[in-house]
Amino acid sequence: MARKSSETTNKLNRRLLLKGAAAGSAVVATQAIGGFPTVWAQNTKDVTLIHAGGSYAAIKEIGEQATKDLGFKIVMQAITDDVQLNRSLTQPNSIDINNIDSTKLPYLMGKGVLAPIPVAKYKLWSETVPLFTKGSYPNGKMASTQGLAPIEAMFYAGKDGKKLADKPTEFLTMIPTIYNADTLGIRPDLVGGRDKVTSWKDLLDPKYKGKTALVDYAPVGVMDVAMALESRGDFKYVDKGNMTKEEIDKTIKIMIDMKKGGHFRSFWSTFDQSVNLMASGEVVVQSMWSPAVTAVRSRGIDCYYVPLKEGYRGWFVGLAPMAHLSGVKLDCAYEYMNWFNSGWQGGFIAKQGYYSAVPATAKKFLTQDEWDYWYDGKPAAVDIKDPYGALMEKKGATRDGGAIWDRMGNIACWNTVMDEDRYLTRRWNEFVSS
Amino acid sequence: MAILDQTADESAATPGAGAEHIAVDAGGERASWFQITPLVVVLALFFGLPMLVVLAVSFFDFDRTDIVPAFILDNYVDLFRSEVTLRLYTSSIKFALIVWLVTLVLGFNIAYFLVFHVRTVLWQIALFLLCTVPFLTSNIIRMISWIPFLGRNGIFNQALMGSGVVDQPLEFLLFSDFAVIVAYVHLFTLFMVVPIFNSMARIDKSLLEAAHDAGASRFRAVAEIVLPLSKSGIALGSIFVVTLVMGDSFVVRTMSGGQSASVVSALQNEVAALQYPPAAASAVIMVIIVTLMVAGILRLVDVRKELAR
């Protein structure tokens, strides 16, 4: 409760400052907002920072806006996961700001390619959602720690950045930016209604034989099936996010049997494939990403991102400066990362269904109606548009799953890299080839 | 060939002593070494060297992110012990054989039609170009356009159901081995047509007339004249088709909807998981097997001899 009121005060401070008032509190408030150039502009105008990340995060428009606001150049590079890992490890100098998802951390930390971020350099830390700062929800409840939970991935044990710490320290692994809750997508018109799929176990229901799909990526594909098996009561995992070899074997065996029985229609490996499978009716239940669901809907085909009773699979991404940065360039990197969460980006990405790590700043760049729809789960008071102005939802629609903490507050397991990932890859290859 | 013959004629025509003749030959040899140097350099740098690196890495050890220089056989042992390897190769070779057979029948007949049935060169060229028209768009687009066509609610199924041939959509049409083969055949038939067309076009038409005059049926003329004389084209086409199918991962992944795997798609999964040494071992074995297949084809047909004919 105390926390909540302090947040409100902060918000008020920023509002005041935005109106150009409150000169007295300018120092404090500048720190709170971030994004205002504190590095001398004449030194920075020749600086170029290369921001590399997945296509869902490294968006050209964000780079252009940052370049305009900051006075130095941000180059956005959208790359695939394996290219990102390869470049980060073998040509770390080719990236300045690494937009990594949490599952890249186990690969990259301790390799001397990422620079730990002193908490003091990140001005919005105190306003970041407690999921990242404390591992809890705003209501104080602790978040699930199955898989790689935010609290387990945010902090280095020391400034050398060799090991992760599972409790707050002075060194951040990355600045958390966006996060979301993933679940199954369905075609309500083809399964007989929105209420027909309620649990992960429906993914394996013989009713949908030949009409289901999984993502062709072992760590996520296996976890989705694990959620289903657990809810069907086949067995209970000690930690779905870190299975033992025996657990992997048991899971893969069932998957192979189901595949041979023709249960799966397809395994998709790109965003477009998942959209097309669903839109064409080849598949009626599948693991899916949130913007893919909206992409199907924007074609006028009903698609629903089902809030399942066992909860969601969560993920989060962040920005990490690369270790080769120094001097003015490093200052600019901090400047940019502070800008990143100062609102414009959060507002942009909210309209694709992702949440900002600092929602209060994103709110300034959304209309009240947009905020109500995307964050508060209220019925849309007006037509909802995507960041590029295309119609996404008609007036009156409600976001699948409701408000931010109804969705993010119900994470059963986080995306992760298992200790047995080598073994998992091998077994997954067996599954796909069987 | 023509150029070589010409030089031989010229040197023969040059009046002069034998000594001069030898000098020209030595210079000619030096010149030919000089001529192949660029290709040797390019191949050594961009093919030989990377292959050696792959070979070296296939013996390395690895952990989650690093490859550790070592000399271990584990990558190969794992590869040969795993039943997945056998399954992948069986599946890839099965695809290669079926696709080879279908493209061969198609390619031979199309080429035969173009060469022996189409009488004017203009029409020959026009129809030949027609064969290549689909290749003006990208491979990926040509392949992906099969998906809406063959899908459960696709054009083909709708047509079948509309005409009352079936009352349930045929599921095996898409995301199946059938779909993979359809796409391969569509993509690779031209690679069979072109070399066969090329060798058939060089067959002296009077041979066929002679066969006809001697009372051979058309089938016999094809079997005993056209087929043997287009062997080099068939061999070259076969090499293209077999290596393309064996080296593919994209078609198999897309058209089977990820239900089937190929040797290369399994290798890609390993690369994506940063497991380079096992991927390298798999690549080395793949290169050996495909080389053996190509060597087998070349053993049956001496392409060099046939081309020099």
Side-chain angles (χ1 to χ4, degrees), chain B residues 211-280:
Chain B
H212 185 70
D213 291 347
S217 67
R218 179 184 281 182
F219 178 78
R220 188 130 183 243
V222 169
E224 296 202 12
I225 296 173
V226 179
L227 196 61
L229 288 178
S230 15
K231 262 196 331 198
S232 63
I234 294 174
L236 287 175
S238 306
I239 292 174
F240 285 138
V241 170
V242 168
T243 50
L244 283 169
V245 173
M246 290 298 290
D248 167 71
S249 66
F250 190 66
V251 176
V252 99
R253 215 175 227 191
T254 312
M255 295 308 290
S256 75
Q259 304 264 26
S260 294
S262 72
V263 180
V264 181
S265 69
L267 189 155
Q268 275 179 337
N269 284 356
E270 287 171 335
V271 170
L274 290 176
Q275 301 176 357
Y276 287 99

Side-chain angles (χ1 to χ4, degrees), chain B residues 66-83:
Chain B
D66 295 313
I67 53 177
V68 187
F71 187 82
I72 55 166
L73 294 172
D74 297 27
N75 300 317
Y76 287 98
V77 172
D78 283 351
L79 196 63
F80 286 118
R81 274 217 188 122
S82 161
E83 57 169 312

Side-chain angles (χ1 to χ4, degrees), chain A residues 168-208:
Chain A
T169 67
E170 286 305 299
F171 297 95
L172 300 177
T173 53
M174 59 184 188
I175 300 218
T177 54
I178 58 179
Y179 49 100
N180 205 355
D182 279 2
T183 179
L184 298 175
I186 62 165
R187 279 282 299 266
D189 52 332
L190 298 179
V191 300
R194 289 191 165 199
D195 54 344
K196 287 291 178 285
V197 172
T198 55
S199 156
W200 280 93
K201 70 174 181 236
D202 293 325
L203 181 66
L204 305 180
D205 193 324
K207 229 178 8 209
Y208 304 123

Side-chain angles (χ1 to χ4, degrees), chain A residues 82 85-86 89 106-108 111 190 209-211 216 256 259-260 264-269 273 277 280-284 417-423 425-426 428-434, chain B residues 61-66 78 82-84 87-88 147 150-154 170-175 250 253-254 256-261 265-276:
Chain A
D82 47 331
L85 267 187
N86 274 302
L89 288 165
Y107 291 103
L108 297 180
K111 300 289 171 190
L190 298 179
K209 186 181 153 191
K211 295 178 179 176
D216 189 359
I256 289 179
K259 180 169 181 252
K260 286 191 171 150
F264 303 108
R265 181 66 170 155
S266 184
F267 304 96
W268 56 265
S269 38
Q273 282 173 355
L277 283 172
S280 65
E282 294 292 340
V283 160
V284 299
V417 178
M418 302 187 192
D419 292 338
E420 294 290 351
D421 66 325
R422 249 169 95 163
Y423 187 68
T425 306
R426 219 178 85 200
W428 180 264
N429 270 343
E430 264 173 61
F431 165 65
V432 171
S433 73
S434 70
Chain B
D61 199 357
F62 66 106
D63 60 26
R64 180 170 272 168
T65 52
D66 295 313
D78 283 351
S82 161
E83 57 169 312
V84 180
R87 211 156 53 211
L88 290 173
I147 295 180
L150 295 174
R152 180 181 288 138
N153 304 310
L170 298 175
E171 303 258 322
F172 78 89
L173 291 176
L174 186 60
F175 301 139
F250 190 66
R253 215 175 227 191
T254 312
S256 75
Q259 304 264 26
S260 294
S265 69
L267 189 155
Q268 275 179 337
N269 284 356
E270 287 171 335
V271 170
L274 290 176
Q275 301 176 357
Y276 287 99

Side-chain angles (χ1 to χ4, degrees), chain B residues 32-97:
Chain B
S32 51
W33 277 113
F34 186 69
Q35 280 172 323
I36 62 163
T37 308
L39 183 63
V40 171
V41 170
V42 167
L43 281 181
L45 272 181
F46 298 107
F47 176 72
L49 200 64
M51 271 315 293
L52 283 179
V53 172
V54 170
L55 184 67
V57 171
S58 71
F59 294 104
F60 282 13
D61 199 357
F62 66 106
D63 60 26
R64 180 170 272 168
T65 52
D66 295 313
I67 53 177
V68 187
F71 187 82
I72 55 166
L73 294 172
D74 297 27
N75 300 317
Y76 287 98
V77 172
D78 283 351
L79 196 63
F80 286 118
R81 274 217 188 122
S82 161
E83 57 169 312
V84 180
T85 314
L86 188 64
R87 211 156 53 211
L88 290 173
Y89 274 98
T90 318
S91 144
S92 285
I93 289 173
K94 179 190 79 189
F95 281 132
L97 275 180

